[in-house]
């Protein structure tokens, strides 16, 4: 069954695809004005929704701020999106259900539970669900998205999203007083949506960061990252040039240091002639060789 967000009888405000017009101070650029309008339209609602996913007010506010900072970084893409609210909502949900938050000391302890028993039981049931099932339940029964839209936003097939929804409802039903047996599935979904809306409105959003602050922090962070990238590139180029200038022209194999070797016989070769050797050589050169005359070389 296809439903629109306005069909859900929840207590949280309904969202539309495009924000309504919001007045802005003079001198504000058109992109900044559109961003501020989007923020004013859905920031509070996103806080309540992410609280259902996390059970922590601080993390919910952080998720909203992070989602809008990412939207401002990619504003040319978000501005032409057919559903900018859905784009920011998907970014906030992804950040809120990220598993690495469990490693952070600030988010290890949950917030104090709601005073109302049904709301407390519902929040415990939601936090006991796997993140994908929790997100599917909030989107379908809390916001009133239809099944294909819920599947697309959770990056799942329609049958997989339906299976997650049924399992999430069954798990939540074990924690809550069940609806009457004669209630239709639509009535049961409406009752669960109303309870989710009441639970979402339990915490106060407190002081959300102003949109101008988000834009300023985002631009400052982008400038710092750009300077860091330029500095790293300059250092890398400098090291490369230094290596090219100081490197030798050709490779020379280093000579091993000389070592004394023992146990090797002395080097052989001709010895110095003695006195008798010199006399014998002169005698042989001065006398004729004995033998036939033809063997004696002539002098002429």
């Amino acid at each position: 069954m296809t439903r629109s967000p306005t069909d859900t009888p929840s207590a949280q405000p309904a969202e539309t695809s495009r924000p309504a017009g919001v007045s802005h101070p003079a001198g504000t650029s058109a992109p900044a004005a559109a961003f501020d309008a989007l923020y004013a339209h859905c920031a509070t609602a996103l806080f309540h929704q992410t609280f259902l996913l996390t059970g922590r007010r601080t993390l919910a506010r952080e998720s909203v701020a992070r989602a809008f900072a990412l939207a401002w970084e990619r504003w040319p893409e978000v501005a032409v999106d057919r559903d900018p609210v859905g784009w920011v909502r998907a970014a906030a949900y992804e950040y809120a259900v990220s598993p690495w938050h469990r490693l952070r000391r600030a988010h290890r302890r949950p917030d104090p539970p709601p005073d109302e028993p049904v709301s407390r039981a519902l929040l415990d049931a939601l936090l006991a669900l796997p993140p994908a099932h929790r997100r599917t339940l909030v989107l379908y029964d809390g916001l009133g998205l239809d099944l294909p839209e819920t599947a697309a936003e959770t990056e799942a097939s329609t049958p997989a999203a339906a299976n997650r929804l049924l399992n999430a409802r069954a798990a939540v039903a074990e924690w809550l007083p069940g609806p009457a047996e004669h209630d239709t599935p639509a009535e049961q979904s409406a009752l669960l949506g109303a309870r989710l809306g009441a639970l979402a409105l339990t915490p106060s959003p407190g002081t959300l960061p102003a949109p101008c602050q988000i834009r300023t922090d985002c631009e400052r962070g982008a400038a710092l990252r750009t300077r860091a990238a330029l500095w790293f590139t300059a250092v890398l180029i400098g090291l490369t040039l230094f290596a090219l200038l100081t490197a030798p022209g050709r490779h020379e194999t280093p000579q091993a240091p000389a070592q004394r070797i023992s146990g090797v016989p002395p080097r052989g070769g001709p010895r110095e002639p003695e006195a008798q050797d010199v006399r014998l050589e002169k005698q042989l050169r001065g006398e004729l060789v004995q033998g036939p005359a033809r063997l004696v070389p002539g002098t002429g």
Side-chain angles (χ1 to χ4, degrees), residues 208-233:
L208 291 175
C212 59
Q213 178 184 351
I214 292 179
R215 289 189 281 105
T216 302
D217 293 343
C218 183
E219 293 169 359
R220 185 182 296 112
L224 289 176
R225 289 191 295 270
T226 301
R227 286 196 291 268
L230 293 176
W231 180 85
F232 177 78
T233 303

Side-chain angles (χ1 to χ4, degrees), residues 56 76 87 129 150 153 201 239 291 298:
R56 294 169 173 83
W87 195 101
L129 293 174
T150 301
E153 190 157 324
L201 293 178
L239 292 177

Side-chain angles (χ1 to χ4, degrees), residues 118 169-170 172-183 188 191 195:
V118 176
R169 284 179 176 176
V172 170
E174 297 179 359
W175 292 70
L176 298 174
E181 296 181 357
H182 61 272
D183 289 347
Q188 296 176 5
L191 177 60
R195 288 176 173 176

Side-chain angles (χ1 to χ4, degrees), residues 5 12-17 38 41-43 45-47 49-50 53 63-64 67-68 71 78 81-97 135 138-140 142-146 149-150 152-154:
Q12 65 187 66
E15 296 180 8
T16 58
S17 296
L38 178 65
H41 174 70
C42 63
L46 275 179
F47 166 80
Q49 296 163 26
T50 51
L53 298 176
S63 301
V64 173
F68 276 98
V78 179
D81 193 271
R82 67 180 183 87
D83 184 13
V85 174
W87 195 101
V88 179
R89 180 178 60 237
Y93 283 17
E94 287 289 343
Y95 186 86
V97 300
R135 184 175 178 182
V138 170
L139 288 173
Y140 189 85
L143 269 69
L145 300 184
D146 60 14
E149 291 177 345
T150 301
E153 190 157 324
T154 57

Side-chain angles (χ1 to χ4, degrees), residues 57-69:
R57 298 171 179 83
T58 304
L59 182 55
R61 283 190 289 266
E62 185 178 332
S63 301
V64 173
R66 172 59 183 167
F68 276 98

Side-chain angles (χ1 to χ4, degrees), residues 38-299:
L38 178 65
Y39 186 89
H41 174 70
C42 63
T44 303
L46 275 179
F47 166 80
H48 293 304
Q49 296 163 26
T50 51
F51 173 76
L52 295 178
L53 298 176
T54 62
R56 294 169 173 83
R57 298 171 179 83
T58 304
L59 182 55
R61 283 190 289 266
E62 185 178 332
S63 301
V64 173
R66 172 59 183 167
F68 276 98
L70 187 62
W72 182 244
E73 290 180 2
R74 305 180 184 179
W75 186 247
E77 172 189 348
V78 179
V80 298
D81 193 271
R82 67 180 183 87
D83 184 13
V85 174
W87 195 101
V88 179
R89 180 178 60 237
Y93 283 17
E94 287 289 343
Y95 186 86
V97 300
S98 179
W100 68 274
H101 292 305
R102 293 176 294 182
L103 305 177
R104 301 173 60 184
R105 181 177 301 177
H107 299 304
R108 289 181 182 177
R109 295 181 179 180
D111 290 357
D115 297 332
E116 207 273 323
V118 176
S119 298
R120 187 186 311 117
L122 179 56
L123 182 59
D124 293 339
L126 287 174
L127 298 180
L129 293 174
H133 293 65
R134 192 186 320 154
R135 184 175 178 182
T136 302
L137 185 67
V138 170
L139 288 173
Y140 189 85
D141 286 328
L143 269 69
L145 300 184
D146 60 14
L147 197 56
E149 291 177 345
T150 301
E153 190 157 324
T154 57
E155 299 181 349
S157 63
T158 302
N163 187 44
R164 290 175 180 175
L165 180 63
L166 294 176
N167 292 334
R169 284 179 176 176
V172 170
E174 297 179 359
W175 292 70
L176 298 174
E181 296 181 357
H182 61 272
D183 289 347
T184 64
E187 294 173 342
Q188 296 176 5
S189 177
L191 177 60
L192 181 57
R195 288 176 173 176
L196 288 173
L199 175 61
L201 293 178
T202 300
S204 172
T207 304
L208 291 175
C212 59
Q213 178 184 351
I214 292 179
R215 289 189 281 105
T216 302
D217 293 343
C218 183
E219 293 169 359
R220 185 182 296 112
L224 289 176
R225 289 191 295 270
T226 301
R227 286 196 291 268
L230 293 176
W231 180 85
F232 177 78
T233 303
V235 171
L236 184 62
I237 293 175
L239 292 177
T240 303
L241 293 177
F242 177 78
L244 292 176
L245 294 176
T246 58
R250 59 187 180 88
H251 177 70
E252 297 181 359
T253 305
Q255 298 292 334
Q259 297 181 357
R260 182 180 297 276
I261 301 176
S262 59
V264 179
R267 183 177 180 181
R271 58 184 179 84
E272 293 292 333
E274 298 180 356
Q276 59 182 1
D277 297 332
V278 175
R279 289 194 302 270
L280 178 59
E281 182 180 0
K282 289 182 178 181
Q283 181 180 359
L284 291 175
R285 291 179 180 277
E287 296 180 359
L288 296 177
V289 181
Q290 299 295 330
R294 61 184 180 85
L295 297 179
V296 178
T299 57

